[in-house]
Amino acid sequence: MLFIVLILVLGALGLLVTALVTAQSLWAWISIGISALAALLLVADVVRRRVRRTATEPEESAGTPERAEVTPSGPESEDDPAEEESASEDRALVAELTDEVLVVDEHPRYHRTGCSWLAGRETIPISAKEARELGFTPCGRCTPDTHLAASHRT
């Protein structure tokens, strides 16, 4: 498809040069029409590729989740739990821990194993330090900061 678009663009360029050399506007209008056709083919190709990619994504994600490119979503959705209100000392301590917490892709909180909010969701295990660095915040239901800080202080 991209090869066809390239040929159309080169043809449109040739017609534009012809229009300039001959001083006939008809060639310029034909060049504009061919350029518009090339643009439509590019848009159709992008849409086709997106549809194909979304059709294959569920099969790929059925296995073990990968650790690459996990980011919390910007605005919180209505079903996300509230953020844990933890002490600043706990936040500072947890930001340095390598203990494993669980995140759900496209959701802004990290959780402890067994959090009721995680039921039925595909989780991704990462370290608490990495979760903080990626912008995740602690879950208000399972209070991971409080529990992790308490376990490391004892």
Side-chain angles (χ1 to χ4, degrees):
M1 178 77 80
L2 293 177
F3 183 71
I4 294 170
V5 170
L6 176 65
I7 298 297
L8 288 173
V9 168
L10 290 175
L13 180 63
L15 288 172
L16 185 60
V17 169
T18 302
L20 292 173
V21 170
T22 62
Q24 292 185 3
S25 64
L26 177 63
W27 295 117
W29 285 109
I30 294 172
S31 173
I32 291 170
I34 291 175
S35 297
L37 177 63
L40 287 173
L41 286 175
L42 277 176
V43 169
D45 188 51
V46 167
V47 169
R48 182 179 57 92
R49 288 174 189 246
R50 281 190 183 164
V51 167
R52 184 183 302 159
R53 186 177 14 166
T54 56
T56 60
E57 279 181 358
E59 296 169 8
E60 293 172 0
S61 65
T64 307
E66 295 184 17
R67 295 179 62 139
E69 299 303 319
V70 178
T71 56
S73 64
E76 296 178 17
S77 66
E78 294 174 8
D79 70 339
D80 285 330
E83 182 178 344
E84 175 186 6
E85 296 296 328
S86 53
S88 59
E89 307 86 43
D90 291 351
R91 285 192 302 267
L93 177 60
V94 171
E96 299 302 317
L97 296 178
T98 58
D99 292 26
E100 189 175 89
V101 294
L102 301 172
V103 297
V104 177
D105 199 17
E106 298 297 322
H107 292 277
R109 307 282 180 255
Y110 60 88
H111 309 266
R112 294 185 324 145
T113 303
C115 179
S116 62
W117 186 83
L118 295 175
R121 291 183 170 90
E122 189 173 324
T123 60
I124 303 167
I126 61 175
S127 70
K129 180 179 181 177
E130 185 178 4
R132 280 291 192 171
E133 289 170 354
L134 291 172
F136 288 94
T137 55
C139 168
R141 285 189 189 178
C142 63
T143 60
D145 281 4
T146 302
H147 285 87
L148 288 171
S151 69
H152 278 275
R153 286 193 179 109
T154 57

